[in-house]
Amino acid sequence: MTISIPPSNPEPLKSLQPKGWMRYLSFSLDHKVIGLQYMVCGFIFYLIGGALASAIRIELTSPMSDFMARDVYNQVLTLHGTIMIFLWIVPVVNGAFGNYLIPFYVGARDMAFPRLNAVAFWLIPPAGLMLISSYFINGAAQSGWTAYPPLSITTPAAGQIIWIISVLLLGGSSIFGGINFIATILKLRRPGLKLMQLPMYCWAMLGTSILVVLSTPVLAGTLILLSFDIVAHTGFFNPELGGNVIVYQHLFWFYSHPAVYIMVLPAFGLVSEILPVHCRKPLFGYTTMVYSIMGIVFLGLIVWAHHMFTSGTPPWMRLFFTIATAFIAVPTGIKFFNWVATLWGGRISLNTAILFSCGFIVNFVLGGITGVALAQVPFDVHVHDTYFVVAHFHYIVYGGSVFVIFSSIYHWFPKATGKMLNENLGRFHFLITFIGFNLCFAPQHWLGLNGMPRRVAEYDPQFTFVNQISSAGALLMALSTLPFLWNVFHSLFKGDEAGDNPWRGLTPEWLTSSPPPVENWNGEAPLVTEPYGYGKTKVPEPLNQIGTKD
Amino acid sequence: MTTTTPLEKDSQSEVPEKGSTHEHADHRLFGLITFLIADGMTFAGFFAAYLTFKAVNPLLPDAIYELELPLPTLNTVLLLVSSATFHRAGNALQKQNSKLCQKWLLITASLGLAFLASQMVEYFTLPFGLTDNLYASTFYALTGFHGLHVTLGSILIFIVWWQVKAPGGQLTHKNSFLLEAAELYWHFVDGIWVILFIILYLL
Amino acid sequence: MVSICLIIGGIWIGNNVNLLPIVASSNAPVYDELFKVLFTIGTILFVGMTGLVIYSLIKFRSKPGELEDGIAIEGNLSLEILWTAVPAIVILFVGLYSYDIYDRMGGMQPLEVHHHEQHLMKGSERIWGGIGSSSTIEASNQFTAALPIELTAMQFAFIFHYPKGDITSGELHVPIDQPVNLTMESKDVIHAFWVPEFRLKQDVIPGQPTILSFTPTRIGRYPIICAELCGPYHGGMRATVVVEKTEDYQQWFNQNAKLIDIEA
Ligand code: HEA
Ligand code: HEA
Ligand code: CUA
Ligand SMILES: [Cu+2]
């Protein structure tokens, strides 16, 4: 069997696009360029969001509000939450990897709507810049990423309005992306490729995009109403004018709960791609994995009120949402057990990608367990809006999604750049990230249980020591980005050549050159009906031995 | 594991021949439908908000106004008829009767504009303003958002009309995507109006 | 064998590690019971999963240079059924158990019970909240005896009002072992009333009265914390609940009461 095309093959058709690094700043229509644009842009925002998180942790090393003013603290935490969610996790796990990989996986040369795709990306930088610049204009929004009215109506209007506009832009970008993914996966499949032969990431993206299309517009509508309340003094959510603040919460969480699965389902998909390659085993339980994704999508749409257990919901509603929420553990659990079964009996190479993926499994299980606890109304009435919740979701968004993003970068960097990342540096990066992460967020469970509310710049002095431990962990996490960045830049220029298929993978993106040509394949797209056929047939020898030297 | 090599010809393959910009009309329509589902969810959110406000925030008696029915009923008729005329336009184009198609398009657009005009008349005669009370605000938000859709739709129809009319125009029976898209969108906007009419005026 | 050790270990940890603050209301022991169960299940699951991952990584790691593949197992139906069913049963158990706890905390009591206090609140028909046991022992009898207190939250303070003595206070004084009914409303934005030692929290919402009942069971001063972001001084929005002997409470009450009311 042939894996890649001899380099002597003629170049494919050239499009009229800028070349070299300039094309990453252009309105490029190439899905790979757009994917990398999302990635780099997202990572820059991650550094900014992380710098804000560091500011939060510095403030919290002492029980006084001394590092920044109280209202500045609220602006910082609002920006941190908004940037991390809307400008880092969502664009990267969906936009970056989705754009890069989905066309390969369905055997297409590009996304269904390349122009829409480019528009979707180019909505992001202006939205992000606007959001951040609002801090320097009149002060950023300071009502948290949830922007609950009436607080969001009574705080300074300029920052809140800018926040609304940029979230609307980002939501629009996300919807355009979702439409594109659905069309690409369902309509652009290479002839001969069946749905149940698609790599798992496609299913994850299909599920995610359904959530995006169904829930993001509701957020958009809600924020438009909120902006009317602020600008035109209507009273939708303003009790002084007869409005109802709880309705906002329902509408907001109708989007924002599914949003958490928008942040994590693609990560599930990515892990499902990474594990089989490095374990040299087929993905365990493909069919149940597909059904569990769809189960999560369905359940994810009907559990939103678990964020509102203390805000005054009738008892029947509390019960319904408790049960529905907790049941998400079942489809999610299926995925985790299947991954462990994939590890079991494999030939696992302990490289950075697999370490981050396994770190993800461990962290996410802990975050999921605290999630199931939070779903129980009587439990939640004590810990709602405390650091226990902060710990829960950082275990999931950082320990889950961010770990997977790192894992994926180590896995696909060779494909996108043609260079290998340094493995030893990578393992070192993993080690301090993992330690720093747990040091930072594990103690926060205790803080929450014992009486530290979230979103405060000052706290009871009895919590000082534990907060300092947490801050030390955050410092370690901040430092851990340094070896990573160095690794990326160094490898980009001086790294070992990767060859086309350093991991001996079977999914279609490995069956072309690294980096891939403009139209993905010279000649026709290969038909891969068994993306996880490890251990079945003789697997291709690595084209370049460097890739497997550890 | 079956990996067909790039050199080995796959009999059923129809890999698009060129350019990363290849688009197929049917996919665009599919994309539009997905977009309309999303758009529909925005309305669903508004409807849900309106209905809950109505259920849990009863208004003080002096803040309740009976809405007049004649004008909105006329509006409903206008839009339903315009859906039919748009369909006619599409049929005409399929039969390659460009003149007829243009005629029906103009009629559809005028119906849309008539709708907007009559909506304006209603706005100016209503006894409440945007910020009078919760009910008033929701009323204007819902009808206003819908009116925005009608406005966009009307502009779209004029673009379609112009494209059909233009000599050597791009819109022919072979390449009628824009007309189909506009028609689908128009039916969607009409459908939303019917729901809106029911819950806003009749309930 | 391993799993038995795991389960026993988990139960031991669940029962012996105490992560929670002091117990100071009749609600708190019920809460801690639930916490123990959740903590036990959580520990078993987490240690089990982590153990499996680490074991696999060590046991099945490949030797350097090895290019062999693992075994090509693609799935196993009975395993899939097993790990769908077991979590489902655990979830069902946890759900039923927490329903029971919720009921014992008074969450399922129809809010009409409180309605005789309706005159305390102007206007609204809708009251929400209602979690928090007035008393776990004899809920129905105790309700009539519950001490009604009104709470008004505003940026950035809690104000308590005792209708019986027309006392307005920034500190919440309550007698031990007597059920208290708090009716709460906010003047501006959303706040939340939280006493960690009582394990109870309820948002205080503008335009929407909420209710919270509790029975303090331990003498002392505990912090009342605002748990909902309400503006720059949200972190400083605190008050104290003073749980005192009935006599001490009575004394405080008499000192401050404008309308002396023997009933109180
Ligand atoms: C990617 C993001 C993400 C994900 C995937 C989740 C997943 C889950 N979340 Fe989380 N959550 C957030 C992000 C996320 N959450 C955020 C950001 C907030 C705070 C928002 C804010 O207020 O700012 C939040 C808040 C939050 C709350 C509200 C807390 C409060 O404010 O009081 C609740 C309550 O029910 C909850 C529950 C859950 C549950 C049950 C899951 C489940 O999906 C978890 C399921 C997974 C597992 C359970 C682990 C694997 C399963 C097994 C190994 C099987 C066996 C397990 C059992 C039998 C238990 N979450
Ligand atoms: C979705 C993803 C996400 C991610 C990845 C993170 C990452 C981190 N978060 Fe975040 N967090 C949220 C989402 C996320 N958070 C949300 C939604 C909230 C709620 C907001 C709200 O209440 O409204 C929140 C709130 C929140 C709080 C609670 C604030 C409060 O309630 O008062 C804290 C406190 O410790 C915190 C800490 C951290 C830390 C230490 C990290 C670390 O993991 C960050 C590590 C990364 C770095 C440290 C970057 C290092 C780089 C540099 C330092 C170099 C800088 C260079 C340049 C700028 C060029 N976060
Ligand atoms: Cu009041 Cu926070
Ligand atoms: Cu949620």
Side-chain angles (χ1 to χ4, degrees):
Chain A
M1 67 178 288
T2 324
I3 289 311
S4 72
I5 299 91
S8 60
N9 253 29
E11 275 277 283
L13 293 144
K14 271 268 55 80
S15 15
L16 300 164
Q17 295 184 350
K19 281 202 205 147
W21 63 271
M22 272 303 285
R23 75 192 150 171
Y24 293 104
L25 294 176
S26 74
F27 191 80
S28 171
L29 302 184
D30 182 343
H31 71 100
K32 298 181 290 298
V33 174
I34 294 178
L36 293 175
Q37 284 173 332
Y38 268 109
M39 184 72 234
V40 173
C41 174
F43 202 86
I44 292 170
F45 282 116
Y46 168 66
L47 290 180
I48 297 171
L52 293 167
S54 310
I56 292 178
R57 287 315 323 170
I58 292 171
E59 167 66 66
L60 294 177
T61 48
S62 77
M64 297 312 177
S65 164
D66 39 21
F67 181 65
M68 26 182 172
R70 292 173 176 84
D71 57 334
V72 175
Y73 180 85
N74 287 354
Q75 295 175 24
V76 166
L77 86 90
T78 304
L79 284 178
H80 164 69
T82 314
I83 289 176
M84 285 298 198
I85 290 179
F86 293 111
L87 289 160
W88 160 236
I89 307 281
V90 172
V92 170
V93 291
N94 291 278
F97 294 108
N99 276 308
Y100 203 94
L101 296 173
I102 294 287
F104 283 111
Y105 285 175
V106 299
R109 292 183 190 273
D110 210 317
M111 298 286 289
F113 313 115
R115 223 170 293 272
L116 186 69
N117 206 12
V119 171
F121 169 74
W122 283 106
L123 285 175
I124 290 179
L129 289 180
M130 246 171 65
L131 185 69
I132 290 163
S133 61
S134 72
Y135 175 82
F136 301 99
I137 298 170
N138 229 326
Q142 42 180 290
S143 49
W145 83 281
T146 48
Y148 276 10
L151 183 64
S152 50
I153 301 174
T154 52
T155 43
Q160 197 66 50
I161 287 293
I162 296 181
W163 181 88
I164 290 177
I165 296 174
S166 32
V167 174
L168 284 177
L169 288 177
L170 296 168
S173 156
S174 180
I175 294 174
F176 291 156
I179 292 175
N180 221 335
F181 288 127
I182 295 183
T184 308
I185 295 168
L186 291 182
K187 293 286 178 181
L188 234 55
R189 249 171 307 124
R190 179 196 195 291
L193 188 60
K194 299 199 189 66
L195 272 178
M196 289 308 266
Q197 295 168 338
L198 287 175
M200 195 53 63
Y201 183 60
C202 295
W203 284 103
M205 283 305 296
L206 186 62
T208 310
S209 303
I210 292 173
L211 284 178
V212 167
V213 165
L214 291 181
S215 62
T216 317
V218 177
L219 176 75
T222 313
L223 292 183
I224 290 170
L225 293 185
L226 184 65
S227 67
F228 276 133
D229 275 6
I230 296 172
V231 177
H233 305 290
T234 51
F236 300 110
F237 308 125
N238 191 344
E240 269 171 40
L241 303 175
N244 188 326
V245 296
I246 305 296
V247 171
Y248 173 88
Q249 297 183 9
H250 278 292
L251 292 171
F252 178 83
W253 290 115
F254 181 82
Y255 164 73
S256 290
H257 182 81
V260 309
Y261 297 105
I262 295 171
M263 291 189 272
V264 96
L265 275 180
F268 287 176
L270 293 169
V271 170
S272 304
E273 300 307 330
I274 295 168
L275 287 182
V277 177
H278 299 284
C279 298
R280 315 303 310 160
K281 267 190 70 195
L283 183 67
F284 201 87
Y286 181 94
T287 324
T288 40
M289 293 291 248
V290 171
Y291 288 129
S292 66
I293 288 176
M294 293 307 158
I296 294 174
V297 168
F298 172 72
L299 286 172
L301 282 169
I302 54 163
V303 300
W304 70 89
H306 64 221
H307 296 274
M308 303 165 53
F309 283 152
T310 70
S311 51
T313 24
W316 67 266
M317 208 189 250
R318 289 171 161 178
L319 278 179
F320 170 76
F321 283 105
T322 288
I323 298 294
T325 305
F327 257 95
I328 295 190
V330 177
T332 316
I334 293 175
K335 302 190 78 69
F336 280 80
F337 294 122
N338 276 317
W339 286 325
V340 173
T342 307
L343 290 173
W344 196 266
R347 293 278 192 283
I348 306 170
S349 25
L350 280 181
N351 50 33
T352 319
I354 208 94
L355 286 175
F356 269 107
S357 283
C358 291
F360 149 81
I361 296 181
V362 170
N363 296 332
F364 191 97
V365 167
L366 185 56
I369 288 168
T370 54
V372 171
L374 284 170
Q376 315 302 322
V377 187
F379 183 85
D380 189 59
V381 292
H382 175 49
V383 292
H384 171 68
D385 263 336
T386 68
Y387 263 82
F388 191 88
V389 176
V390 175
H392 156 68
F393 69 74
H394 281 93
Y395 260 88
I396 285 187
V397 289
Y398 196 99
S401 304
V402 178
F403 268 58
V404 172
I405 292 173
F406 280 130
S407 178
S408 308
I409 292 176
Y410 283 96
H411 185 73
W412 279 291
F413 188 87
K415 178 47 61 183
T417 63
K419 298 286 167 60
M420 298 301 289
L421 283 171
N422 183 316
E423 275 297 326
N424 288 330
L425 211 52
R427 291 198 195 95
F428 175 67
H429 171 214
F430 167 77
L431 197 69
I432 48 176
T433 310
F434 190 77
I435 295 174
F437 165 75
N438 280 290
L439 201 60
C440 181
F441 294 112
Q444 293 184 358
H445 292 109
W446 183 86
L447 285 175
L449 288 169
N450 282 276
M452 180 159 165
R454 60 191 279 208
R455 296 170 165 176
V456 295
E458 53 207 312
Y459 54 86
D460 194 324
Q462 72 174 105
F463 300 129
T464 314
F465 178 64
V466 179
N467 266 302
Q468 284 166 350
I469 297 180
S470 176
S471 297
L475 176 70
L476 210 54
M477 276 160 99
L479 291 179
S480 80
T481 41
L482 298 180
F484 173 73
L485 285 175
W486 199 79
N487 199 349
V488 166
F489 285 115
H490 185 80
S491 304
L492 205 51
F493 300 109
K494 300 241 171 71
D496 296 337
E497 290 298 328
D500 291 347
N501 194 354
W503 313 122
R504 297 177 298 138
L506 295 179
T507 38
E509 81 276 25
W510 298 110
L511 309 183
T512 184
S513 60
S514 305
V518 172
E519 304 268 281
N520 294 352
W521 290 279
N522 298 331
E524 249 176 74
L527 178 65
V528 179
T529 52
E530 278 191 83
Y532 307 116
Y534 301 99
K536 288 194 162 169
T537 41
K538 198 82 192 77
V539 170
E541 290 295 305
L543 297 179
N544 186 328
Q545 285 294 333
I546 296 165
T548 50
K549 72 180 175 194
D550 40 19
Chain B
M1 133 128 212
T2 30
T3 306
T4 338
T5 63
L7 307 171
E8 198 180 295
K9 273 274 173 282
D10 182 354
S11 56
Q12 41 173 334
S13 80
E14 317 161 22
V15 179
E17 328 81 271
K18 75 165 206 224
S20 47
T21 50
H22 51 263
E23 284 174 30
H24 310 269
D26 52 333
H27 297 164
R28 279 186 293 173
L29 218 52
F30 180 84
L32 179 67
I33 293 172
T34 327
F35 175 77
L36 291 181
I37 293 175
D39 202 17
M41 285 307 291
T42 323
F43 278 105
F46 285 149
F47 291 155
Y50 172 79
L51 290 175
T52 4
F53 283 145
K54 209 169 152 154
V56 299
N57 287 48
L59 287 169
L60 301 174
D62 60 317
I64 300 174
Y65 307 96
E66 271 303 315
L67 285 167
E68 298 288 335
L69 271 183
L71 218 45
T73 313
L74 172 70
N75 276 342
T76 313
V77 174
L78 285 176
L79 277 191
L80 288 179
V81 173
S82 75
S83 254
T85 56
F86 208 146
H87 193 66
R88 286 286 172 110
N91 281 350
L93 190 70
Q94 285 309 313
K95 297 208 183 89
Q96 306 185 36
N97 189 340
S98 157
K99 277 269 154 357
L100 191 64
C101 174
Q102 289 168 37
K103 199 183 87 190
W104 282 120
L105 281 173
L106 282 182
I107 293 177
T108 314
S110 344
L111 286 168
L113 293 179
F115 171 89
L116 287 172
S118 115
Q119 181 90 66
M120 277 299 150
V121 172
E122 192 194 11
Y123 277 8
F124 284 114
T125 52
L126 281 175
F128 50 80
L130 173 65
T131 55
D132 278 9
N133 59 47
L134 183 57
Y135 175 77
S137 307
T138 333
F139 173 85
Y140 282 111
L142 270 172
T143 50
F145 193 58
H146 179 265
L148 202 66
H149 278 73
V150 178
T151 314
L152 281 179
S154 304
I155 296 173
L156 204 62
I157 297 176
F158 278 115
I159 294 175
V160 172
W161 169 76
W162 183 72
Q163 295 244 318
V164 175
K165 186 171 180 248
Q170 286 113 349
L171 257 172
T172 60
H173 68 289
K174 282 202 205 102
N175 182 9
S176 59
F177 167 72
L178 194 62
L179 187 135
E180 283 171 44
E183 186 181 341
L184 190 64
Y185 172 81
W186 194 256
H187 292 324
F188 166 80
V189 174
D190 291 357
I192 293 288
W193 173 262
V194 173
I195 304 175
L196 205 145
F197 179 67
I198 293 173
I199 63 177
L200 222 49
Y201 294 91
L202 298 185
L203 282 189
Chain C
M1 183 56 209
V2 178
S3 44
I4 291 171
C5 290
L6 189 63
I7 290 171
I8 293 174
I11 294 174
W12 186 83
I13 290 179
N15 277 301
N16 287 283
V17 177
N18 188 14
L19 294 173
L20 288 159
I22 297 169
V23 170
S25 81
S26 63
N27 202 69
V30 186
Y31 183 92
D32 292 9
E33 204 180 294
L34 172 66
F35 183 81
K36 262 182 197 142
V37 171
L38 291 175
F39 193 49
T40 306
I41 296 176
T43 310
I44 295 170
L45 261 171
F46 177 69
V47 175
M49 287 294 274
T50 311
L52 279 176
V53 169
I54 293 175
Y55 177 82
S56 311
L57 284 185
I58 294 170
K59 176 86 198 298
F60 302 114
R61 70 177 191 282
S62 63
K63 326 270 158 323
E66 182 183 300
L67 290 180
E68 208 107 306
D69 276 358
I71 352 147
I73 327 165
E74 292 188 305
N76 180 324
L77 190 62
S78 32
L79 269 180
E80 300 283 352
I81 292 173
L82 179 78
W83 60 52
T84 310
V86 171
I89 292 166
V90 173
I91 290 296
L92 220 54
F93 163 74
V94 170
L96 288 174
Y97 181 67
S98 88
Y99 171 82
D100 178 51
I101 296 281
Y102 183 53
D103 197 22
R104 281 157 68 193
M105 286 184 177
M108 290 312 287
Q109 242 137 35
L111 285 177
E112 281 76 58
V113 183
H114 307 283
H115 270 204
H116 63 276
E117 268 129 29
Q118 182 97 67
H119 63 278
L120 301 173
M121 291 175 295
K122 297 121 266 166
S124 182
E125 289 296 303
R126 299 163 290 121
I127 312 168
W128 274 337
I131 198 168
S133 48
S134 276
S135 158
T136 36
I137 323 139
E138 234 182 341
S140 48
N141 288 345
Q142 298 275 7
F143 258 122
T144 38
L147 173 67
I149 302 176
E150 295 164 344
L151 181 159
T152 309
M154 63 186 72
Q155 285 168 330
F156 296 92
F158 294 108
I159 309 289
F160 301 95
H161 181 245
Y162 294 68
K164 289 209 171 148
D166 195 16
I167 303 173
T168 303
S169 161
E171 240 180 17
L172 177 60
H173 283 255
V174 287
I176 189 167
D177 288 332
Q178 156 140 36
V180 177
N181 259 6
L182 267 182
T183 48
M184 315 194 277
E185 200 161 357
S186 167
K187 275 214 170 347
D188 35 49
V189 300
I190 308 175
H191 304 270
F193 173 94
W194 179 36
V195 181
E197 284 77 6
F198 292 176
R199 315 277 194 277
L200 277 176
K201 180 182 296 111
Q202 174 61 53
D203 284 7
V204 189
I205 303 168
Q208 166 71 74
T210 50
I211 216 165
L212 184 72
S213 323
F214 59 87
T215 310
T217 55
R218 188 175 182 279
I219 288 175
R221 299 170 67 86
Y222 309 107
I224 297 171
I225 300 166
C226 175
E228 182 71 50
L229 180 62
C230 53
Y233 287 86
H234 159 61
M237 183 165 164
R238 288 162 158 266
T240 310
V241 50
V242 186
V243 181
E244 3 183 53
K245 283 205 229 87
T246 315
E247 309 89 80
D248 295 346
Y249 168 75
Q250 202 60 48
Q251 197 190 346
W252 173 85
F253 186 86
N254 291 340
Q255 266 169 16
N256 293 278
K258 290 185 199 129
L259 326 159
I260 302 290
D261 189 329
I262 315 106
E263 263 183 283

